[in-house]
Amino acid sequence: MGKLRPRWDYQHYLQALHDGCGQGTGANYKPQITIHDFPSQGVSARVFGHTTGRIHHLLSRLEEYYFYLIDFDPDVLDIREQFPLRLTETLEIASCFNIRHPQAGSFPYPITTDFLVTRVDGLHARTIKPAAELEKKRVLEKFSIEYQYWKEKGVEWKIVTEKDIQWDKARNLQWLYAGLSAKEAVPDAALREKASSCILELLSEKQLSFPLILETVGEALSIAQENIIPLFKDLVLSRRVVVNLNRPINFMNPLS
């Protein structure tokens, strides 16, 4: 499903500039568009990013799945979603190529790139779109502006569709990211680390299923089993535990 069209007018644009949207990096970055700009949240999502340490605003399910993949990638250093392109530059590009610039009423609004990703080898711009949308002339016209913008800046720009998503890995990561954090589940730092150490020790046995690990740690440390699950997730996300995420995880089988 594609993204909804956000509310947009001149006052909104001025307010976004005033608020510093599209500026900053890491935890200090503010996206140009947030889920609050939509009349209805629909399939949008707010997800905590482990790379940046902030909440990311993802405007479609496809964006959400792609986000999990890049946020878990150790080569990714920063992720800036809904990154605005300079309006004066995109207007000039549109004029040069005789393309109608996107606008709301009579007011042109900034084109945004879904993700500007800083990797160890430099910047990468990524636009997320269902493959079926690429058959629409107007969509391709807008992408022509976006492509030319990043080309002039020497930044690699690509379109990502559902065909480019590692679906098993993305769904596994969605489960790992969901729910309480380890700190929320077990606030006591010493108990949290002790429980995590127990999980690691039991995993080293190589013959224990996930339910048995939950039961064993829960009984030993008097922790509710549902609060041990976030500890396991944290171990995987911090790479203290390595799980094959490229296929659906079967927690009834022994984990290694």
Side-chain angles (χ1 to χ4, degrees):
M1 179 178 292
K3 293 180 294 187
L4 299 173
R5 181 183 295 276
R7 299 187 185 96
W8 197 266
D9 56 31
Y10 186 63
Q11 291 302 319
H12 187 289
Y13 176 61
L14 292 179
Q15 187 63 48
L17 290 176
H18 179 268
D19 293 341
C21 293
Q23 302 176 32
T25 58
N28 297 317
Y29 173 76
K30 294 182 179 181
Q32 178 71 30
I33 302 172
T34 72
I35 64 173
H36 305 299
D37 295 320
F38 292 87
S40 172
Q41 292 186 7
V43 294
S44 60
R46 297 172 74 252
V47 179
F48 178 81
H50 295 266
T51 300
T52 63
R54 67 174 176 84
I55 296 294
H56 290 257
H57 292 253
L58 310 169
L59 307 183
S60 70
R61 189 66 71 210
L62 196 54
E63 280 189 19
E64 180 186 351
Y65 282 128
Y66 182 72
F67 172 78
Y68 294 132
L69 296 174
I70 58 175
D71 191 52
F72 191 67
D73 187 337
D75 291 335
V76 171
L77 307 176
D78 192 14
I79 301 171
R80 286 174 280 179
E81 77 276 21
Q82 321 311 331
F83 187 85
L85 314 189
R86 288 185 178 274
L87 186 57
T88 53
E89 294 182 33
T90 56
L91 283 169
E92 182 177 353
I93 292 171
S95 177
C96 288
F97 288 88
N98 196 28
I99 298 173
R100 179 167 56 88
H101 194 283
Q103 60 187 53
S106 60
F107 182 73
Y109 59 81
I111 295 172
T112 56
T113 289
D114 295 323
F115 293 102
L116 182 59
V117 183
T118 305
R119 300 177 60 89
V120 292
D121 61 351
L123 288 176
H124 298 259
R126 293 292 184 267
T127 289
I128 316 299
K129 207 72 171 177
E133 292 290 303
L134 302 183
E135 299 176 5
K136 299 178 180 179
K137 179 182 177 181
R138 181 56 181 155
V139 170
L140 295 179
E141 286 180 345
K142 294 177 182 178
F143 283 172
S144 296
I145 299 174
E146 197 172 351
Y147 164 76
Q148 187 63 29
Y149 180 93
W150 289 115
K151 180 182 178 181
E152 293 177 0
K153 297 188 179 303
V155 175
E156 179 196 64
W157 175 83
K158 288 185 178 180
I159 300 170
V160 175
T161 74
E162 67 275 13
K163 299 177 182 178
D164 303 304
I165 300 294
Q166 299 167 273
W167 286 104
D168 285 338
K169 185 174 184 178
R171 292 188 179 104
N172 285 331
L173 287 170
Q174 182 184 43
W175 178 77
L176 289 168
Y177 277 62
L180 296 176
S181 68
K183 290 183 179 180
E184 290 171 329
V186 183
D188 184 276
L191 180 59
R192 186 169 64 248
E193 184 55 36
K194 187 174 183 179
S196 297
S197 297
C198 287
I199 294 172
L200 290 170
E201 183 177 348
L202 291 171
L203 283 172
S204 68
E205 298 294 329
K206 300 184 183 300
Q207 293 300 319
L208 298 179
S209 66
F210 190 56
L212 184 55
I213 290 174
L214 294 180
E215 181 182 348
T216 303
V217 176
E219 290 182 355
L221 300 178
S222 299
I223 302 174
Q225 291 187 26
E226 62 265 24
N227 288 336
I228 300 172
I229 296 175
L231 303 184
F232 172 78
K233 291 181 177 182
D234 184 67
L235 290 172
V236 176
L237 292 173
S238 62
R239 292 181 172 79
R240 295 174 67 184
V241 169
V242 177
V243 175
N244 184 358
L245 299 176
N246 294 317
R247 62 186 183 189
I249 300 174
N250 185 349
F251 288 108
M252 300 310 295
N253 293 332
L255 295 174
S256 60

